[in-house]
Amino acid sequence: MEASHLITEIKGVGVKTTALFSKLHIETIKDLISYFPRGYDHYEEALPVGELCTGKVQSVRACIVGTPSMVRAKGMVITHAQAGDASGRMKLTWFRMPYLKKALPGGSWHVFRGMVQAGTGGMLFMEQPRVFSQGDYETLAGTWQPKYALTNGLTNHMISKCVRQALEELELPDYLPEEIRSRYRLIGFREAMEKIHFPGSQEDVVMARRRLVFDEFLAFLIQIKRQKKENAGLLIDRPLQPTEDTDRLIAALPYQLTGAQQRVWKQIEADLTGHMAMNRLVQGDVGSGKTILAFLALLVCSANSRQGCLMAPTEVLAVQHFEALTEMTEKYGLCTKPILLTGSMTSKQKKEAYARIKSGDADVIIGTHALIQDKVEYRDLALVVTDEQHRFGVRQRECLANKGEGVHVLVMSATPIPRTLAIVLYGDLEVSVLDEMPKNRLPIKNCVVDPSFRKKAYAFLEAQVEAGHQVYVICPMVEAGEDSADGLENVTDYTEKLKAALNSSIRVAALHGKMKAAQKQEIMDAFGAGQIDVLVSTTVIEVGINVPNATVMLVENAERFGLAQLHQLRGRVGRGHAQSFCIFMTGDGSGAKNKRLDVLNHSNDGFFIANEDLKLRGPGDLFGIRQSGDLDFGLGDIYQDSDVLMLAGELADQVLSGDVVLPEKEFGLFEKSIDYRTI
């Protein structure tokens, strides 16, 4: 068996299972073993009811008291039960699991595992706990079980079984010699792959993750450092000429550019009109005004009868940019001729767009990854702008820049990153910082609360909707998996619960990344048009969605996200003239006691938050906090793993300078095998 083989090589993987794996983008053996757990369940001994602690996922051995009951709420069946032992009683609740009424007869003993919460009257309760027979739980006690992101029909057990077989039959050569592994405190590659999937302890996971994160960072950094060498000294044969069109637009805008915007625009303009290819990153906080700078740069291209393109990470954002530039073109009489190009367009629409781009009839092309397809031929491309840099890697930027000769590259990022990390991550770019916010923005009011505040939070949402405003609610999961007992809210179930809890006149809808692009666009258009009052979503709305009427952001399980990503999410509100609010609700009961979230509670400054995130992350965060969203590495997180990032940067420099020579065959296989989205 080889890594490039299809997963059908694995015993027991047939047509149906292959289709399920395909939903998770797992096609090959390499895809499978690189599909790392998103967390682990440590199955400790089951406790008596009287020893349970609120705010923690725990297991309890208890007896069903009486007969479970069922109620219906807006088409959803809710099962209630009580369980107890000599030390006390607790309540249990399940959604959409009516069969449990018969499966849990009165007097039967089971082990229930889930998030322990405090209910009314002081009685503890669990929502959606997993149910085990006493014998089944005894076999799990003391073990660490991987938890994978799942899809309906595919279980943790099925994935684990397939991964185990693949690892047993695969050769996994290690490109790092023992000397280097020892220097950087790294375990072997095979050992890392085995322990990341099947750890025996927390230490196993820490060491496995450290090695695999090092590999991710090293591959990424070698790519960008090579890119920097190739870009150094790249001459521009036909420099762009300054144009008065940009000055006229700046003067006509209904607002004045901030001092930071004016400073950065001068840097961009100097690059565009110089004799060296621009490779510049504009790093600015949410709402600092990066988009208008991109439009000004594209206007310079149009005024010089050249082409420029803007690549956005999502179709929703691409459409938003296209509509904004089209409106400005008409309102201010700009010379730009914008066109939209996305993957969801019909074949006829794409063909027409290709023709206009090739002929030069369209001089500003806005779109998604569709911009870098082979079919797209540019007449005279002079500038490439990538919005939300962390969603695009070096290869994608390079691919787009190669669509023309001597192309300028402008990269935009709303993710403030501490300077120590930015120097390593953005080694191929000059960095400009927008460190000033427009004066007309009201600061967002924040609060950090625990689930006991939920009733008040829902009342507040209702009041905001009644006042004519709109609301975002963020959940960490799309749908409940077999590990739903870990207390994580999911979009699918939460949407139904919210419909039942809020006034029936309030329009609630769901949005998540598993939806098709057209469906997501339809929902966002409806939300933007005010036809949806409350939008329950995953972090798919993190990037660039602009609905000025949205005034409230409620984030569930806020402790499970990095501070930088929470700050990005918060940036979806506060974009209009009304006062906006952000409610960070913890699922572990920590509420205002959570030190990390307290940083967000008292600051709206993204650069300050990023530095605090760097300080407050630690090894203990390995089992909870989801990716910060800054860069889409498979495992690595630039805050949590900043020390590994620095070490990988050091080795990358030594490899490229020739001071360290890695085994040619193994290193070549390593470079081919690493294919993360950031590279």
Side-chain angles (χ1 to χ4, degrees), residues 243-310:
T243 173
E244 293 182 358
D245 290 1
T246 54
D247 294 332
R248 283 197 292 269
L249 176 57
I250 291 171
L253 291 171
Y255 53 85
Q256 186 175 357
L257 295 185
T258 64
Q261 285 176 306
Q262 294 177 41
R263 181 185 71 248
V264 173
W265 167 240
K266 291 300 179 186
Q267 294 170 343
I268 294 170
E269 188 178 42
D271 285 345
L272 290 173
T273 56
H275 291 272
M276 306 290 288
M278 172 174 68
N279 277 282
R280 183 171 295 277
L281 167 74
V282 176
Q283 188 183 25
D285 211 341
V286 175
S288 59
K290 298 177 295 299
T291 304
I292 187 61
L293 300 183
F295 287 174
L296 286 167
L298 293 166
L299 180 56
V300 172
C301 293
S302 297
N304 278 264
S305 299
R306 306 282 295 280
Q307 289 176 307
C309 64
L310 192 161

Side-chain angles (χ1 to χ4, degrees), residues 103-278:
L104 301 174
S108 60
W109 286 82
H110 307 270
V111 175
F112 304 98
R113 180 171 176 79
M115 176 67 70
V116 182
Q117 302 180 60
T120 54
M123 184 178 285
L124 300 179
F125 75 93
M126 287 182 180
E127 278 190 357
Q128 213 74 0
R130 291 182 67 185
V131 183
F132 300 87
S133 70
Q134 295 183 80
D136 285 347
Y137 194 83
E138 284 176 10
T139 63
L140 287 171
T143 66
W144 290 77
Q145 298 296 322
K147 295 191 297 183
Y148 299 93
L150 304 173
T151 188
N152 285 334
L154 201 58
T155 66
N156 273 309
H157 176 72
M158 292 167 68
I159 296 178
S160 294
K161 183 180 178 181
C162 292
V163 169
R164 193 179 294 277
Q165 183 186 335
L167 290 177
E168 287 174 355
E169 298 184 23
L170 271 178
E171 281 189 36
L172 295 173
D174 198 331
Y175 73 97
L176 285 180
E178 173 60 34
E179 176 193 352
I180 292 177
R181 296 204 303 268
S182 177
R183 183 196 310 172
Y184 292 117
R185 296 186 298 111
L186 301 169
I187 63 176
F189 182 63
R190 170 171 284 282
E191 183 182 1
M193 291 299 287
E194 289 173 347
K195 287 184 174 179
I196 198 72
H197 288 287
F198 308 109
S201 65
Q202 179 170 341
E203 181 62 22
D204 281 352
V205 181
V206 170
M207 295 306 295
R209 190 177 174 282
R210 178 181 173 85
R211 168 58 201 266
L212 297 171
V213 167
F214 185 91
D215 289 347
E216 285 188 305
F217 287 163
L218 181 65
F220 174 74
L221 294 172
I222 284 176
Q223 288 288 337
I224 66 167
K225 289 174 185 292
R226 280 179 178 159
Q227 180 84 345
K228 185 176 182 180
K229 280 187 176 182
E230 293 171 5
N231 288 339
L234 182 61
L235 292 173
I236 297 293
D237 292 333
R238 294 180 293 152
L240 298 173
Q241 299 301 311
T243 173
E244 293 182 358
D245 290 1
T246 54
D247 294 332
R248 283 197 292 269
L249 176 57
I250 291 171
L253 291 171
Y255 53 85
Q256 186 175 357
L257 295 185
T258 64
Q261 285 176 306
Q262 294 177 41
R263 181 185 71 248
V264 173
W265 167 240
K266 291 300 179 186
Q267 294 170 343
I268 294 170
E269 188 178 42
D271 285 345
L272 290 173
T273 56
H275 291 272
M276 306 290 288
M278 172 174 68

Side-chain angles (χ1 to χ4, degrees), residues 386-429:
T386 57
D387 191 15
E388 296 300 339
Q389 184 273 342
H390 60 277
R391 303 297 166 127
F392 301 108
V394 175
R395 287 180 189 167
Q396 290 166 321
R397 295 206 308 263
E398 183 180 9
C399 181
L400 192 48
N402 287 340
K403 291 283 189 177
E405 294 182 8
V407 176
H408 296 287
V409 175
L410 179 62
V411 174
M412 320 290 280
S413 176
T415 307
I417 294 177
R419 181 170 176 77
T420 52
L421 302 186
I423 290 171
V424 178
L425 288 167
Y426 299 135
D428 61 329
L429 302 165

Side-chain angles (χ1 to χ4, degrees), residues 560-571:
R560 305 291 291 231
F561 299 92
L563 295 187
Q565 186 170 35
L566 288 173
H567 180 61
Q568 289 278 83
L569 289 166
R570 177 169 59 182

Side-chain angles (χ1 to χ4, degrees), residues 45 90 102 168 194 237 254 301 414 423 469-470 479 540 578 581:
E45 292 297 325
M90 66 185 303
K102 290 184 178 179
E168 287 174 355
E194 289 173 347
D237 292 333
C301 293
I423 290 171
H469 300 304
Q470 291 164 277
E479 57 193 8
V540 70
F581 308 86

